[in-house]
Amino acid sequence: MSTAVARIIEGLRTYGGLQGKDLANIVDVSPATVSRWSHGNGSPDLRTQTVIADLRYVVDRLSDFYTPDETRLWLHSRHPLLNGERAIDLINQDRTQEVLAVIERLDAGAFV
């Protein structure tokens, strides 16, 4: 059975190059838990669903500029425009708007 969360996780793998362990680290669960969600067994709590949805939006935006492997690296790298922080950490801290602001600069032609 394919759930909405399972489809989102598949999209994160396809377009963001993210592996189950990446998602597990981002939302602070075990890789086995992400695997269960991927197979439609169980569902994350509402806060975790929100983090996953935000991550999907960011990955969708980044896929306009980068390959999946580049997107994964971008998410895990520290950025000067994010005050040396990593995008994945900001997304988990409900600071997705800061990440999206940097992506908007990228979209406007600024080098990031």
Side-chain angles (χ1 to χ4, degrees), residues 50-71:
T50 300
V51 172
I52 291 170
D54 283 353
L55 182 60
R56 178 181 74 170
Y57 185 68
V58 169
V59 165
D60 285 348
R61 295 287 293 133
L62 288 171
S63 69
D64 292 340
F65 310 103
Y66 299 118
T67 66
D69 288 339
E70 292 169 332
T71 296

Side-chain angles (χ1 to χ4, degrees), residues 5-6 19 22 31-34 40 48 50 54 59 65 67 80 85 87 89 94 101 104-105 108 110 112:
V5 171
Q19 301 167 6
D22 295 317
T33 297
V34 174
T48 302
T50 300
D54 283 353
V59 165
F65 310 103
T67 66
E85 296 185 76
D89 296 331
D94 196 26
E104 290 304 317
R105 290 181 69 178
V112 182

Side-chain angles (χ1 to χ4, degrees), residues 17-90:
L18 296 173
Q19 301 167 6
K21 64 183 177 184
D22 295 317
L23 189 54
N25 287 332
I26 293 166
V27 299
D28 196 29
V29 298
S30 72
T33 297
V34 174
S35 178
R36 282 194 299 277
W37 297 339
S38 297
H39 292 93
N41 300 321
S43 182
D45 62 39
L46 186 56
R47 185 212 176 277
T48 302
Q49 288 180 40
T50 300
V51 172
I52 291 170
D54 283 353
L55 182 60
R56 178 181 74 170
Y57 185 68
V58 169
V59 165
D60 285 348
R61 295 287 293 133
L62 288 171
S63 69
D64 292 340
F65 310 103
Y66 299 118
T67 66
D69 288 339
E70 292 169 332
T71 296
R72 181 177 184 268
L73 183 60
W74 194 95
L75 289 166
H76 283 81
S77 298
R78 296 188 180 278
H79 295 278
L81 295 174
L82 293 172
N83 297 319
E85 296 185 76
R86 300 179 322 157
I88 58 170
D89 296 331
L90 296 177

